[in-house]
Structures are given as structure tokens and as C-alpha cells.
Amino acid sequence: MSRKNRKARRRDAQADHNNFDQRGGSRRGRKNRNIEKEMSAIAFDQITRQEGPKKKKWSLHDIVQIQPLTEVQREFYQCYLQGDHVVGYGSAGTGKSFLGLFLGLRDVIDKDQPQKKVIIVRSVVPSREMGHLPGTIDEKCEVYEMPYMDICAELFRKKSTYSDMKEAGLIEFLPTSFIRGSTWDDAIIVVDEAQNMTFHELNSVLTRVGQNSRVILLGDVRQTDFTKKHEVSGFAKAIQIAEDMDEFATVEFGRNDIVRSAFVKSWIIAAESFDDSGFQ
């Protein structure tokens, strides 16, 4: 065999070897991707088994029974049980949102109560114009719904409870930008972070209340996310009006009712003392 033919055969053999490696590599890549898909499927299946099947119905046996931790929480609790509309206002970290949502959800899943859903209403301050946020309306709202996702997960011991209840029609979340013209019958209306609403917004919310509905109005007059000079919180005015109405009970939470953590209690006491001192 000539030297030229031997070189040609070596080139062909090397080319075959390279092609084999490439094909083998391609097969290995596909195999690895298949393994990754299988592992992802297994992980998803494990999470599904841990969470359990999606729930569509709930009863009083499903909710964790919460007991008031302070005297003022107990007062708030009792005012609600007596059938009043309730205003809870005062320091952050006092459990207002947690207790309000617990009481509302407990009634909604109680077959003996006329209310069929909880409507959570919040202002979208600091971006009241939701067009400034990316995504669909639902995606824009999601950041404001996160506290209620956490509360529902704690109350029902399942992370997907909030989304499950929304899908089942037991929870509805509404920003104040989208309530005009609505009438809310047979609902528990939880108006949260009310200090971030102008009086016009609060008036719009409270004039939506229909038959067999109850209001839980929550906020802290010392906090506000307003940044524009012309925007003024209407919460203090709403509290004063509610105090003149027989239908409302008003409950003030103070420093001694802070239950979030010892650090939060110390911080809020120090911050409020600083504000009260008049220093800037």
C-alpha cells in the first residue's frame, strides 16, 4: 500500500472516531437532559404528595384555632364575635391583619354563617398607578398579596391555601383602583393598610358594602407610604366617623400588644419615642 493511501486511511479512521465521539456526546447530552427531567418530575411529585391534592372545600376542622395573645386582641376578637363591624388601629406587629383574616376566613368556611367569601382590599401605594409595575393585573397585585399567602399557609398548614381559596372563590383580592361600581354582598371585607388610603378611597370602599356583609378595617395612623405632598391619609377621619356609628366597634392596639418579635417591639417603642420627642 502506498504512503498516500495509508495517510488517507488514517484520516478516514480519525474522522470516523470523531464522528463517533460527537454522536456519543449527543446521546449522552440527551440522556442527561432526560435524567434532569425525571429528577424534576420526582421532585414535583414529592412536593405534591407533601402538600396533598388541591383543596376545593374547607371546614372549621381545617383552620388552626387562634387564641388572643393580649387583652386588646381579646377585645378585638369579642367585638367581632358580637356582630359588629370592627376598626382595629395602632402599632405595627400587633397581629391586626393576622387576626382579622383569621376571623373572616373562619366565618366564610362556617356553613352556619351567611358570608361566602373574604374580600381583601388594599391600596397599591407606593405605585397606585399599577401600570408602572410589569406584568398583568394579577401579576401586579401578587406582591401585595404575599402577606395573606403567608397568613393562610400558617392558618391551614398548607402553602397553596391562598391560591386554592382564590380559585375556589372564597378569597378575592382587590386594589382600590378597581372597585368602583361594585356591590359586595355576603362577604367579609378586610380593608388592610388603611393608612395608605385617602379618604376618597376609603369612602369608595365602604360605600361598596352590601347585604349580609361585614367590614374589618385595619391600619396604623402613624405609618403611611404616601410620598406626594398633596396625598393625605383618610384613615384618622374614617376612625372618627366610625366611632360615631352604632354599627362599628373601634379597638386601639398599643405598644404592649406587639407580638411579632421582641426586636420589633423594642424598635417600635424607640421609634415612636423618638417621633414623640419632636427631634427631626
Side-chain angles (χ1 to χ4, degrees):
M1 181 181 295
S2 68
R3 181 179 297 179
K4 185 176 180 180
N5 289 338
R6 285 198 298 270
K7 287 183 178 180
R9 290 185 64 180
R10 282 198 298 270
R11 284 198 304 270
D12 293 341
Q14 184 64 43
D16 289 342
H17 179 73
N18 291 340
N19 289 336
F20 175 78
D21 280 349
Q22 291 170 2
R23 290 194 301 271
S26 178
R27 286 196 296 271
R28 285 193 295 271
R30 286 196 298 271
K31 184 176 181 181
N32 288 338
R33 286 194 293 273
N34 289 335
I35 291 172
E36 290 174 359
K37 289 180 181 178
E38 290 175 5
M39 291 177 67
S40 298
I42 291 170
F44 179 79
D45 186 56
Q46 288 175 341
I47 292 171
T48 302
R49 285 201 299 270
Q50 290 170 1
E51 284 275 305
K54 182 179 291 187
K55 208 167 178 65
K56 296 184 179 179
K57 293 183 179 180
W58 292 262
S59 71
L60 291 173
H61 299 290
D62 296 310
I63 192 169
V64 174
Q65 295 304 311
I66 302 299
Q67 296 301 320
L69 298 177
T70 70
E71 287 301 317
V72 175
Q73 282 193 357
R74 185 170 287 105
E75 180 186 355
F76 182 87
Y77 198 103
Q78 290 300 321
C79 287
Y80 181 84
L81 294 182
Q82 289 167 8
D84 295 327
H85 302 286
V86 186
V87 180
Y89 66 98
S91 298
T94 51
K96 300 183 296 294
S97 299
F98 188 92
L99 192 55
L101 192 54
F102 162 72
L103 291 169
L105 287 172
R106 194 182 63 170
D107 272 1
V108 164
I109 62 176
D110 185 348
K111 294 179 180 179
D112 295 330
Q113 298 298 326
Q115 289 80 25
K116 306 302 180 186
K117 65 180 175 179
V118 170
I119 299 174
I120 302 170
V121 184
R122 279 188 67 165
S123 177
V124 295
V125 170
S127 299
R128 182 178 282 103
E129 294 300 327
M130 294 187 73
H132 294 173
L133 297 173
T136 65
I137 294 298
D138 288 340
E139 289 169 341
K140 292 174 182 180
C141 287
E142 189 172 347
V143 65
Y144 299 99
E145 297 179 83
M146 291 176 67
Y148 314 112
M149 296 177 189
D150 292 340
I151 292 171
C152 287
E154 186 169 346
L155 288 176
F156 292 91
R157 300 190 182 97
K158 188 175 181 182
K159 290 184 178 180
S160 64
T161 297
Y162 181 83
S163 58
D164 292 345
M165 285 189 160
K166 277 190 72 176
E167 188 173 326
L170 289 165
I171 290 178
E172 185 175 359
F173 181 87
L174 291 172
T176 54
S177 305
F178 297 96
I179 64 171
R180 190 174 297 277
S182 302
T183 300
W184 300 325
D185 295 325
D186 305 320
I188 306 293
I189 303 158
V190 178
V191 186
D192 202 15
E193 303 292 345
Q195 75 276 359
N196 289 329
M197 300 182 191
T198 64
F199 184 75
H200 173 73
E201 283 181 289
L202 281 165
N203 187 63
S204 294
V205 170
L206 294 173
T207 53
R208 304 302 102 206
V209 180
Q211 300 298 320
N212 295 321
S213 289
R214 299 182 63 185
V215 176
I216 301 175
L217 182 60
L218 307 169
D220 179 4
V221 292
R222 298 184 73 123
Q223 292 189 105
T224 179
D225 293 329
F226 288 130
T227 58
K228 299 177 182 178
K229 291 183 179 180
H230 68 274
E231 293 181 319
V232 178
S233 173
F235 188 38
K237 181 178 178 180
I239 294 170
Q240 292 176 334
I241 293 172
E243 286 175 340
D244 289 335
M245 296 174 62
D246 293 335
E247 294 88 347
F248 266 107
T250 59
V251 180
E252 182 176 7
F253 291 78
R255 299 173 176 181
N256 293 330
D257 303 301
I258 298 170
V259 294
R260 182 168 293 154
S261 69
F263 172 82
V264 169
K265 187 172 184 177
S266 295
W267 171 263
I268 289 176
I269 289 173
E272 290 182 352
S273 297
F274 182 85
D275 290 341
D276 293 340
S277 69
F279 287 104
Q280 297 296 325

